[in-house]
Amino acid sequence: MSKAGRPEAIVRPKAGERVFEVERLEPDSALAEFVDYYWLVRWNVTDPHRQQVVPQPRVHVAAEDGRLFVHGVSREPFFRTLTGVGHVLGAAFHPGGFRALLKGSVGAISGTVRTAADVLGHDDRAAAQRILATSETARIVPVLDAYLLACEPEPDPTGREATELVDEAQRRPDIVRAEQLAQHAGISLRSLQRLFADHVGIGPKWVIQRSRILDATAVAHSGEPVDWSELAAQLGFSDQAHLTRAFTQVVGTSPATYRRDPGTAG
């Protein structure tokens, strides 16, 4: 199973680390099959800071603005403006982990942000109030544990399979087409597409390309010199222009320009 997501999804991390801190935490062991990790973001800013994060193929449940919100997998760029002093605690689910709580197709909530009460049928207001009252880890993590356990997730072998396939796509830069992942899984492309739609909430083609874009982002964050044409070939893009188009669509600027940004790498 995936562990702690992909930190390179935080866009311009050097600029961000001057503004906020991120702590990654373990969920209750009874939730480990479903939740990859909890993330706790704390900030104290004088001027508003607009932070971008590259969406990944995973559902998040986060306490903010007085409620617990379920963030379905989104194709759209994600931005959050941080003001004043505050914190957010969230649960990042394994790619195939949220269906065990939803008890229905994860594709039904893709591209949406809805209250946990609406999605999961359990009132989230008391839990959110307790989580947002303090940023003390030892006091708020058990609250989120208790809320998610109250949803009574049950072991889901198919969900574990979906998570393992997403992990495989992330680990292997040589996987550049959904057909390759289907072959690895020993199933038809159509079966793979149905599995991802139901348990991950988005198709395998998107998952694979997002993995390769995050690979390119990680290279940009490294601070090392980059031959973008060579990297494009390594990541399965037809040429450098193809990588540039795909990267720009996700991050908002070309990879070479992003690499030179002082907020990207030290």
Side-chain angles (χ1 to χ4, degrees):
M1 293 213 177
S2 55
K3 294 295 180 184
R6 300 194 64 167
E8 58 268 27
I10 297 176
V11 176
R12 297 177 182 84
K14 290 299 179 183
E17 69 184 19
R18 295 192 288 267
V19 175
F20 60 86
E21 62 178 17
V22 181
E23 185 177 2
R24 287 180 170 82
L25 307 158
E26 295 284 337
D28 186 283
S29 59
L31 290 166
E33 176 180 336
F34 317 105
V35 178
D36 189 358
Y37 61 96
Y38 290 161
W39 48 268
L40 175 59
V41 178
R42 301 181 181 94
W43 66 89
N44 186 342
V45 298
T46 303
D47 300 316
H49 173 79
R50 190 170 188 250
Q51 181 60 48
Q52 180 181 359
V53 178
V54 175
Q56 299 179 65
R58 58 177 71 235
V59 173
H60 292 261
V61 174
E64 51 189 335
D65 299 328
R67 300 296 297 266
L68 292 179
F69 289 97
V70 177
H71 295 253
V73 178
S74 176
R75 296 176 181 273
E76 301 301 318
F78 179 85
F79 296 92
R80 181 68 79 243
T81 299
L82 308 179
T83 59
V85 180
H87 69 278
V88 175
L89 176 66
F93 282 77
H94 290 295
F98 191 70
R99 196 186 191 289
L101 282 78
L102 182 63
K103 300 176 175 63
S105 173
V106 181
I109 63 167
S110 293
T112 69
V113 180
R114 294 159 55 188
T115 66
D118 183 30
V119 174
L120 299 173
H122 294 269
D123 192 351
D124 59 86
R125 287 169 290 192
Q129 183 177 17
R130 292 174 63 192
I131 290 169
L132 294 171
T134 176
S135 64
E136 186 178 336
T137 302
R139 293 178 61 185
I140 61 178
V141 165
V143 177
L144 188 52
D145 282 337
Y147 181 86
L148 297 178
L149 286 169
C151 297
E152 300 181 339
E154 297 181 354
D156 181 3
T158 306
R160 290 196 298 270
E161 179 186 0
T163 293
E164 289 165 0
L165 288 171
V166 172
D167 289 349
E168 187 73 9
Q170 292 177 342
R171 282 194 303 264
R172 290 181 50 187
D174 61 304
I175 293 180
V176 297
R177 302 191 321 277
E179 290 85 354
Q180 292 172 284
L181 192 59
Q183 184 177 20
H184 169 81
I187 58 178
S188 69
L189 176 60
R190 182 63 186 138
S191 295
L192 181 71
Q193 291 168 335
R194 286 196 297 265
L195 171 64
F196 272 50
D198 194 42
H199 280 77
V200 182
I202 203 158
K205 179 180 177 180
W206 186 94
V207 169
I208 292 167
Q209 186 176 79
R210 183 52 47 93
S211 296
R212 303 293 75 83
I213 292 296
L214 286 171
D215 289 341
T217 306
V219 171
H221 291 173
S222 72
E224 298 297 324
V226 186
D227 183 329
W228 293 109
S229 179
E230 181 180 343
L231 182 65
Q234 291 173 355
L235 297 180
F237 292 92
S238 57
D239 53 26
Q240 183 177 342
H242 184 197
L243 169 61
T244 296
R245 288 193 302 272
F247 190 98
T248 301
Q249 184 176 26
V250 173
V251 178
T253 187
S254 72
T257 300
Y258 180 70
R259 165 66 184 81
R260 292 193 298 268
D261 191 310
T264 295

